Amino acid sequence: MRTRILVLGGLGLIAATYGLVRLAYGLFLPDVQHDLGFGADVGGAVSSGASALYCVGAVAGFLLAGRAARWLVVGAALTAGVGAIVMAASTTTPVFGTSAVVASTGAGLASPAMVQLVAGRVDGAVRDRAQAVVNSGTGPGLVAAGVLALVLLPDWRTAWTVAGIATLLVGAVVFLAAGTTERAVTSGRAPRAVLPDRSWFGAQVVPVVVALLFGAGSAVVWTYGRSALVGAGVPSALTVVAWVVLGVGGASVAVTARWTSGVPAARTWSLTTTLAAVAVLALGLLPHLVVAALMACAVFGWAYAAATGALIAWTTETDQQHAAAGTALLFVVLVAGQALGAAAAGALVEPAGTEATFAIAAAVVAIAAAVPLLVARRGLRSAVPTR
């Protein structure tokens, strides 16, 4: 029973720190700008700072998850939850921006903490599925953020307050469910040092490269997906619905995990990122066709969540003892790619247009999908694990 609560609580923690706090920033930003009176340049600077602090949190998780995973959960809940509440109470741009940046740290802390807790407390037969279920929390979080937007906007303060309180509560649930003793579910092997050795880093080269590419290509959806719909004349309410649909797609990973968890991670990666590339292209070329755009959002939401789950499985296949460290590394690289991709998209979208920008981004995602297949054909099996 405690294990089930841990998994469901972990799903909720990822939903809160990612979907309700970190990724909801772009959803509520127009209303915040209207009330606090800052421009797009400040909004972009805050987003960049949030990505940087996310990476700091993930690096902390990389270093500490092996010995302090429960306390990383506390840190994740406090930074994201209190940060969101301070955002809600902010009356000046500096206070809002600082709290938004700090709040993003919670997501970086949460992922490696949950990977470590699941790896140490869930039996091997269902561990991969449990990891996929927890990682799928971003989808429900996006849905919850979209529902809050539909119900409360333009009252963004109440929305952020709800998000902050929910984050604190679910963090407490995970902390209590995790208990104080790690079960021996790693075939009785003694734990290794927290920091992996040089050979481990060498085995991560391919997933690092594809995570960077995928982050760069997928950033266009998180940054300009809603703008593409607005620019195509889609009513504002439907653009929020598209955000909800994107979240529903991500949440569906919890259902499909029973099938994807039985497939080698590199194959899952190539499948999911190929679908993500198709979705990015469709959203960029067909935003005026509402049904097609909504379908693209659903496919992208599922593919993005499943692909990040594949990254966790990939680094776990490489070395289960360092799964939390691998997750932190790959997620830092993914977010770094998103920062680069958002900047590149911002530089392209006005001179080149939305369609060309999305098409280029889709091509980058497609390359990320192809790399493991090309590596496998060259016989580098150690870099692309197959069970």
Side-chain angles (χ1 to χ4, degrees):
M1 182 63 180
R2 174 173 284 186
T3 297
R4 181 173 297 180
I5 294 174
L6 175 66
V7 172
L8 293 177
L11 184 151
L13 184 65
I14 298 301
T17 55
Y18 280 84
L20 274 178
V21 178
R22 174 170 163 73
L23 295 178
Y25 171 81
L27 179 63
F28 298 125
L29 183 60
D31 300 281
V32 178
Q33 287 177 298
H34 179 269
D35 286 356
L36 297 185
F38 60 87
D41 54 342
V42 174
V46 172
S47 180
S48 297
S51 293
L53 261 290
Y54 171 94
C55 291
V56 170
V59 170
F62 180 100
L63 297 172
L64 299 174
R67 33 177 206 242
R70 291 179 77 223
W71 293 106
L72 285 178
V73 168
V74 173
L78 287 176
T79 51
V82 175
I85 291 171
V86 175
M87 289 165 70
S90 299
T91 57
T92 66
T93 298
V95 173
F96 176 84
T98 301
S99 56
V101 168
V102 171
S104 189
T105 311
L109 294 170
S111 288
M114 288 312 308
V115 168
Q116 182 68 30
L117 290 175
V118 170
R121 290 162 174 79
V122 178
D123 291 326
V126 294
R127 187 184 302 122
D128 286 350
R129 184 179 175 189
Q131 296 282 22
V133 168
V134 169
N135 187 64
S136 72
T138 299
L142 291 172
V143 172
V147 170
L148 286 176
L150 286 173
V151 173
L152 296 174
L153 284 184
D155 184 9
W156 55 272
R157 295 184 185 277
T158 301
W160 282 119
T161 301
V162 172
I165 293 172
T167 302
L168 292 172
L169 290 175
V170 77
V173 169
V174 174
F175 181 80
L176 294 174
T180 57
T181 304
E182 184 170 2
R183 292 166 49 196
V185 296
T186 56
S187 303
R189 290 177 290 182
R192 302 181 189 176
V194 174
L195 289 177
D197 58 23
R198 185 178 300 178
S199 64
W200 179 88
F201 282 98
Q204 303 298 318
V205 170
V206 173
V208 162
V209 169
V210 297
L212 183 69
L213 290 170
F214 183 58
S218 63
V220 72
V221 174
W222 299 118
T223 308
Y224 295 108
R226 191 180 176 203
S227 297
L229 296 173
V230 171
V234 177
S236 180
L238 280 179
T239 66
V240 177
V241 169
W243 191 275
V244 174
V245 169
L246 193 155
V248 170
S252 67
V253 168
V255 178
T256 61
R258 68 181 65 186
W259 297 290
T260 57
S261 63
V263 179
R267 289 186 195 168
T268 303
W269 172 264
S270 292
L271 170 64
T272 55
T273 50
T274 296
L275 290 174
V278 172
V280 171
L281 186 62
L283 189 59
L285 299 182
L286 305 172
H288 56 287
L289 300 179
V290 175
V291 173
L294 291 177
M295 289 180 62
C297 287
V299 171
F300 180 84
W302 178 85
Y304 183 89
T308 55
L311 286 177
I312 295 174
W314 199 336
T315 192
T316 302
E317 288 177 13
T318 302
D319 187 343
Q320 180 180 304
Q321 295 293 300
H322 289 127
T327 299
L329 171 65
L330 294 178
F331 278 33
V332 165
V333 172
L334 181 74
V335 174
Q338 288 176 344
L340 294 173
L348 281 173
V349 72
E350 288 191 3
T354 299
E355 293 183 357
T357 302
F358 273 72
I360 293 170
V364 173
V365 176
I367 293 171
V371 167
L373 301 176
L374 295 175
V375 171
R377 285 184 181 179
R378 290 178 178 270
L380 301 179
R381 298 294 179 180
S382 62
V384 185
T386 54
R387 276 196 263 257

